[in-house]
Amino acid sequence: MATTNAPSPDFSKGDGLVPAIAQDAETGDVLMLAYMNAESYAETLATGRAVYYSRSRNKLWRKGEESGNVQEVKAIFFDCDADTILLKVRQIGGAACHEGYASCFFRQVTPEGLKVIAERVFDPQEVYKKK
Amino acid sequence: MATTNAPSPDFSKGDGLVPAIAQDAETGDVLMLAYMNAESYAETLATGRAVYYSRSRNKLWRKGEESGNVQEVKAIFFDCDADTILLKVRQIGGAACHEGYASCFFRQVTPEGLKVIAERVFDPQEVYKKK
């Protein structure tokens, strides 16, 4: 995905960050939402792998750097205001969520409260071992 | 969608706002991303129609209140951190975007720049007539 004169999202609204939605390129499932700054967006373009910016850790977050569950970026879209990014990705390992689910949206709001509507793909304690 | 003791998203991180992704319940297309505050979330639950909070207008945004293109909410999901909402919706009028496209993500990043990859469903100038 070599891009010259690559169009840039509008990073001005959210303190230099824009939300980025990762959607499974094959199934259409929404996997997660994270944030990108200009540097992570540029690295995503350059490498073809999703790189976010972690608001809690205040640094680049190369998705999968610990778990191995990287996201291969198949296509990138901007919304009408260019302040949200949509990535269509191939999720290596089959799970985007650090809790071991394919999608981070594994809980549905129901009249009885939040209900888990998916099965775990991996055991987080195995994947994120304390070192 | 009457909910008692409805679980609440974590509104503490983003100045009282959380991003909400609207996904077409039938096609799986990601339609748009907007923001919700506690009031708009509660009204969404109570009415079964998507209500957002407009950051530019600083007020509740009852999606479709001007265009008629309301979103009927079929299901609501929280992500693992409860700070992003996913709505599965039926988009009345067939277009979520104020520019007349089915999805706000109608532009793809390509080596030649942004490329429009969808057809307009409606003409914005007809729908949003100056009064």
Side-chain angles (χ1 to χ4, degrees), chain B residues 1 6-7 9-10 16 21 28 31 41-42 52 54-55 58 62-64 73 85 92 108 117-118:
Chain B
M1 188 172 301
D10 179 0
I21 302 163
L31 300 176
Y41 176 70
Y52 302 105
S54 169
R55 296 184 302 170
N58 285 314
R62 295 176 178 89
K63 173 68 182 162
V73 177
I85 296 169
I92 303 301
Q108 184 170 358
I117 47 87

Side-chain angles (χ1 to χ4, degrees), chain A residues 1-122:
Chain A
M1 189 173 297
T3 47
T4 54
N5 299 315
S8 174
D10 179 0
F11 289 105
S12 65
K13 285 184 195 169
D15 290 331
L17 300 178
V18 297
I21 302 162
Q23 182 181 28
D24 188 293
E26 285 197 6
T27 66
D29 289 346
V30 175
L31 300 177
M32 57 180 283
L33 180 139
Y35 294 83
M36 286 188 178
N37 65 357
E39 187 182 1
S40 64
Y41 175 69
E43 187 170 316
T44 298
L45 281 185
T47 64
R49 288 187 172 183
V51 179
Y52 303 105
Y53 185 84
S54 169
R55 296 184 301 170
S56 56
R57 288 174 285 165
N58 286 313
K59 63 173 191 176
L60 287 195
W61 167 28
R62 295 176 179 88
K63 172 69 181 162
E65 61 191 338
E66 191 175 353
S67 65
N69 294 340
V70 301
Q71 293 176 338
E72 296 176 358
V73 176
K74 300 301 183 186
I76 303 176
F77 304 85
F78 285 8
D79 77 345
C80 42
D81 296 326
D83 59 7
T84 303
I85 296 170
L86 173 65
L87 305 175
K88 295 205 179 181
V89 305
R90 176 166 173 252
Q91 175 65 61
I92 303 301
C97 183
H98 72 288
E99 296 209 20
Y101 295 94
S103 165
C104 292
F105 298 95
F106 60 86
R107 295 178 300 170
Q108 183 171 358
V109 176
T110 79
E112 292 77 40
L114 283 180
K115 181 182 167 191
V116 173
I117 47 88
E119 299 286 332
R120 276 205 164 97
V121 175
F122 67 74

Side-chain angles (χ1 to χ4, degrees), chain B residues 9-131:
Chain B
D10 179 0
F11 290 105
S12 66
K13 285 185 197 169
D15 291 331
L17 300 178
V18 298
I21 302 163
Q23 182 181 28
D24 189 293
E26 285 198 7
T27 66
D29 289 345
V30 175
L31 300 176
M32 58 181 282
L33 180 138
Y35 294 84
M36 287 189 177
N37 65 358
E39 186 182 0
S40 64
Y41 176 70
E43 188 170 315
T44 298
L45 280 186
T47 65
R49 288 186 173 184
V51 179
Y52 302 105
Y53 185 84
S54 169
R55 296 184 302 170
S56 56
R57 288 175 283 166
N58 285 314
K59 63 174 191 175
L60 287 194
W61 168 27
R62 295 176 178 89
K63 173 68 182 162
E65 62 192 338
E66 191 175 353
S67 65
N69 294 340
V70 301
Q71 293 175 338
E72 296 176 357
V73 177
K74 300 301 182 187
I76 303 176
F77 303 85
F78 286 6
D79 77 345
C80 42
D81 296 326
D83 60 5
T84 303
I85 296 169
L86 173 65
L87 304 176
K88 295 204 178 181
V89 305
R90 176 166 173 251
Q91 176 63 61
I92 303 301
C97 184
H98 72 289
E99 296 208 21
Y101 295 93
S103 164
C104 292
F105 298 95
F106 60 86
R107 296 177 300 171
Q108 184 170 358
V109 176
T110 79
E112 291 76 41
L114 283 179
K115 181 182 168 190
V116 173
I117 47 87
E119 299 286 331
R120 275 204 165 97
V121 175
F122 68 73
D123 177 352
Q125 295 201 322
E126 283 298 309
V127 169
Y128 301 98
K129 280 182 178 151
K130 301 292 183 203
K131 284 162 186 162

